[in-house]
């Protein structure tokens, strides 16, 4: 589901919903929350922007076979702000 992928990538990027929304053109927390919960989907033209901000391939959001660990190449040491358990859940 695209919402789960957005949330995982956003958390790995260390962004709050508010920060992420502002970076993609002034979207509010409620919009980002609705995307992540699956209530709404982002417009397709936003996917390349979101991918660039979150450092993933655009295909990551729409391709069911695309895995975050393959789309995101940063080593764990860059993500010390999340716990080992959270890192394991994401990857």
């Amino acid at each position: 589901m695209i919402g789960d992928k957005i949330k995982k990538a956003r958390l790995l990027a260390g962004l709050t919903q508010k920060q992420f929304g502002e970076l993609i053109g002034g979207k509010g927390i409620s919009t980002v929350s609705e995307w992540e919960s699956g209530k709404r989907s982002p417009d397709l033209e936003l996917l390349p922007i979101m991918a660039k901000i979150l450092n993933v391939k655009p295909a990551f959001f729409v391709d069911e076979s695309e895995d975050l660990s393959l789309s995101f190449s940063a080593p764990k040491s860059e993500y010390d702000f999340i716990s080992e358990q959270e890192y394991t859940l994401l990857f």
Side-chain angles (χ1 to χ4, degrees), residues 34-47:
E34 288 175 348
W35 293 341
E36 292 181 356
S37 68
K39 291 181 182 175
R40 291 178 53 195
S41 294
D43 295 332
L44 289 178
E45 60 268 7
L46 285 178
L47 295 183

Side-chain angles (χ1 to χ4, degrees), residues 12 55 69 72-82 87 91:
L12 269 178
N55 195 29
S69 61
F72 194 81
S73 60
K76 173 161 180 2
S77 61
E78 292 186 27
Y79 294 93
D80 290 335
F81 60 88
I82 63 174
Y87 183 83
F91 291 105

Side-chain angles (χ1 to χ4, degrees), residues 45-71:
E45 60 268 7
L46 285 178
L47 295 183
I49 297 165
M50 293 168 63
K52 185 172 184 169
I53 291 166
L54 298 173
N55 195 29
V56 295
K57 299 174 194 170
F60 165 72
F61 297 114
V62 294
D63 187 349
E64 300 239 352
S65 66
E66 192 74 23
D67 185 349
L68 184 60
S69 61
L70 300 175
S71 296

